[in-house]
């Protein structure tokens, strides 16, 4: 569990332990039972169940289950008799429509509350032990998970993206502070610089596997504290007998005893009770509502709930035995469960190994990557704009051979320019800027693709694209509402309504920066104004009506009254809803 960022962090940090959730991602309101054929939900006679069959049933039915308000996610675990079960995680006990079995596989219900990306060792130490406080200047505090090395011997702190990279909002080279800001860390306490991070996809259909980042450092030890830690983690991951860097048998992780040392709860022990988990994780909380979340797949579940707490994000989870083999990277949870990324996926993404003092580092690699292409979301035809391209040496070896970086308008098939990069040290970045004259560009969306010419060891990251919309000269075009999604939540004696609004341009592409003003069908303390793109949304923003009386209010309707943005016109007659849940202008939410 990581820390929640910026001004909202303190409030969110305080409610982590409440254990009740009212939001688990946007979807049109669903109040009925699971919309799958009833025959597929009937239990069969008890007998041995194969884990692979349980995973197949889980993955087949998870999309439908996740549409039920109050279902946070799913995973595969083992019952007390050793049979495989599909675990369904719920925000509250009274969630309707949850089946007793899926394709003959028993279902186990678990009340988790909201799963939050959490945010003593809180003092400054040099070298800093594993498990101590660390963080980007814009967050509160997280945990040093491990010291890792690449093939050229560089050493890095391994922790979470939302700890070291501020949930995608940081820049490579930003400082890493030890202790983190929440624990008094300032720029005078810098222990490293942000080297790499895996971007978190906050889209509604995102499929994240890791929340992880590296900070280059030479001031972190490879061991937890000597007085109350578990010692030095092993270099080899758990259950990797063929040494290919991946778990040999995912099912073999179930019921494995594990341990971790973290900033908040220090040394704790637990058990892996779920694999292949598909979950919604909250990253931004306002009052009691999650307003920014991300979907994760292929995650690990650890219990009991005391295994971790807020601020333990980034902790390395290892086996509770003499081997202390790495298993997971802790990043989220609630008062009942801890959620972790598979450590094999984390290490392979960055091409590093845990420094346990015994295993050799990964094989040296030469790898230049186009990491970022940044272009305006829209541009008027005839204007000239700058497109920024970032190329990074993500390999372990320095690049001394000059190579070219080319930017092309793939939509019109027009080259926009070529620039040369003379050399790049391992971890170094080249920032390039290209001019794009749109005088002859066609109207509509344009895919701008940057690629490099270096023959390296990994061709998968040699190019990257961004999309920019060319609008007719004389204005930036029109806009309209492209989707309205709503969810109702039961707060006990009251209920709350949340509406997510998506703004589209004339080409039905998500548009950030538009201010929406609407109205609710009844008076009360509510939010009726938001700006698309707020809180990391892609053309989206959220309005809410909390604390509606369950006795007197059966439903409430939200209506969009106006959408404003400089240089654009709002065309209300073009409003629509991509999934048919509303008319694009008004949406009605019923009491749950």
């Amino acid at each position: 569990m990581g820390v929640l960022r910026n001004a909202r962090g303190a409030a969110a940090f305080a409610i982590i332990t409440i254990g009740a959730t009212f939001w688990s991602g946007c979807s049109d309101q669903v109040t009925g039972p699971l919309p799958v054929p009833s025959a597929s939900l009937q239990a069969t006679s008890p007998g041995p169940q194969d884990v692979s069959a349980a995973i197949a049933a889980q993955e087949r039915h998870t999309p439908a289950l996740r549409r039920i308000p109050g279902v946070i996610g799913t995973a595969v675990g083992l019952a007390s008799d050793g049979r495989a079960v599909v675990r369904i995680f719920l925000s509250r006990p009274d969630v309707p429509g949850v089946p007793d079995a899926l394709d003959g596989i028993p279902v186990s219900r678990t009340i988790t509350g909201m799963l939050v990306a959490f945010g003593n060792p809180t003092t400054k130490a040099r070298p800093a032990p594993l498990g101590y406080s660390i963080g980007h200047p814009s967050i509160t505090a997280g945990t040093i998970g491990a010291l890792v090395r690449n093939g050229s011997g560089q050493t890095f702190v391994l922790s979470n993206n939302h700890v070291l990279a501020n949930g995608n909002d940081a820049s490579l080279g930003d400082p890493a502070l030890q202790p983190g800001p929440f624990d008094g860390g300032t720029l005078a306490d810098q222990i490293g610089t942000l080297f790499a991070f895996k971007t978190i996809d906050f889209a509604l259909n995102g499929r994240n596997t890791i929340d992880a980042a590296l900070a280059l450092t030479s001031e972190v030890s490879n061991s937890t504290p000597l007085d109350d830690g578990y010692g030095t983690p092993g270099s080899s991951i758990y259950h990797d007998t063929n040494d290919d860097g991946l778990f040999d048998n995912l099912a073999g992780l179930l019921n494995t005893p594990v341990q971790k040392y973290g900033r908040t709860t220090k040394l704790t022990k637990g058990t892996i009770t779920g694999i292949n988990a598909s979950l919604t994780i909250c990253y931004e909380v306002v009052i009691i509502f999650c307003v920014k979340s991300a979907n994760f797949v292929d995650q690990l579940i650890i219990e009991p709930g005391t295994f971790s707490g807020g601020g333990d994000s980034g902790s390395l989870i290892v086996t509770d035995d003499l081997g202390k083999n790495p298993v997971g990277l802790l990043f989220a949870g609630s008062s009942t469960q801890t959620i972790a990324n598979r450590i094999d996926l984390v290490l392979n993404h960055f091409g590093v190994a845990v420094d346990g003092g015994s295993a050799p580092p990964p094989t040296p690699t030469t790898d230049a990557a186009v990491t970022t292409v940044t272009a305006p979301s829209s541009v008027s035809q005839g204007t000239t704009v700058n497109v920024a391209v970032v190329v990074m040496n993500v390999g372990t070896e320095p690049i001394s051979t000059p190579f070219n970086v080319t930017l092309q308008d793939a939509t019109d098939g027009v080259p926009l320019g070529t620039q040369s990069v003379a050399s790049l040290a391992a971890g170094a970045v080249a920032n390039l800027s290209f001019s794009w004259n749109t005088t002859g560009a066609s109207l509509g969306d344009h895919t701008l693709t940057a690629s490099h010419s270096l023959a390296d060891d990994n061709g998968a990251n040699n190019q990257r694209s961004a999309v920019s919309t060319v609008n007719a000269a004389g204005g930036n075009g029109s806009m309209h509402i492209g989707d309205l999604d709503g969810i109702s939540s039961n707060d006990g004696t009251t209920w709350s309504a949340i509406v997510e609004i998506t703004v589209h341009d004339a080409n039905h592409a998500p548009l950030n920066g538009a201010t929406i003003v609407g109205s609710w069908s009844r008076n009360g303390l509510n939010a009726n104004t938001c700006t698309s793109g707020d809180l990391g949304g892609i053309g989206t923003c959220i309005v809410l009506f909390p604390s509606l009386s369950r006795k007197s209010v059966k439903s409430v309707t939200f209506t969009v009254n106006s959408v404003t943005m400089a240089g654009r016109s709002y065309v209300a007659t073009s409003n629509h809803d991509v999934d048919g849940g509303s008319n694009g202008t008004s949406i009605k939410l019923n009491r749950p």
Side-chain angles (χ1 to χ4, degrees), residues 181-244:
F182 188 81
D183 299 320
T186 67
L187 291 178
D189 301 307
Q190 180 173 346
I191 199 172
T193 56
L194 181 62
F195 181 84
F197 61 92
K198 177 67 169 67
T199 301
I200 300 171
D201 184 356
F202 289 102
L204 293 179
N205 60 350
R207 289 177 60 84
N208 298 282
T209 55
I210 64 173
D211 175 346
L214 300 180
L216 185 66
T217 185
S218 60
E219 299 184 84
V220 171
S221 77
N222 66 352
S223 174
T224 58
L226 297 177
D227 52 352
D228 62 348
Y230 60 76
T232 302
S235 297
S236 300
I237 68 171
Y238 183 59
H239 269 331
D240 180 24
T241 57
N242 61 1
D243 200 31
D244 64 352

Side-chain angles (χ1 to χ4, degrees), residues 446-487:
H446 284 248
T447 299
L448 308 179
T449 301
S451 59
H452 70 71
S453 62
L454 182 70
D456 58 14
D457 294 329
N458 180 16
N461 56 15
N462 289 355
Q463 69 176 38
R464 199 175 186 91
S465 300
V467 176
S468 183
T469 303
V470 177
N471 297 304
N476 289 331
S478 64
M479 58 185 174
H480 60 273
I481 301 300
D483 193 17
L484 291 177
D485 289 318
I487 189 169

Side-chain angles (χ1 to χ4, degrees), residues 128-131 144-149 156 158 220-226 229-238 259-261 267 314-329 343 347 353-359:
L130 306 185
I144 298 173
L147 183 69
V148 297
R149 294 180 181 270
F156 309 90
L158 171 64
V220 171
S221 77
N222 66 352
S223 174
T224 58
L226 297 177
Y230 60 76
T232 302
S235 297
S236 300
I237 68 171
Y238 183 59
Q259 58 186 334
K260 76 98 187 62
Y261 191 92
L267 181 64
S315 300
L316 183 69
I317 299 172
V318 302
T319 55
D320 188 10
D321 56 22
L322 293 178
K324 291 172 280 191
N325 301 105
V327 175
L329 185 68
I343 196 62
L347 299 178
V354 173
D355 183 352
S358 58

Side-chain angles (χ1 to χ4, degrees), residues 494-565:
T494 64
W495 66 283
S496 300
I498 303 175
V499 175
E500 182 187 63
I501 307 163
T502 302
V503 180
H504 282 175
D505 63 17
N507 298 296
H508 303 287
L511 180 66
N512 286 343
T515 299
I516 302 97
V517 178
S519 60
W520 294 91
S521 57
R522 60 184 303 114
N523 295 326
L525 183 62
N526 55 57
N528 64 353
T529 302
C530 63
T531 300
S532 61
D534 277 357
L535 303 172
I538 302 176
T540 65
C541 62
I542 289 172
V543 294
L544 61 90
F545 201 142
S547 303
L548 293 161
S549 171
R550 287 188 54 80
K551 291 184 177 180
S552 60
V553 181
K554 295 182 179 180
S555 65
V556 66
T557 299
F558 179 79
T559 301
V560 176
N561 296 329
S562 67
V563 183
T564 57
M565 183 177 180

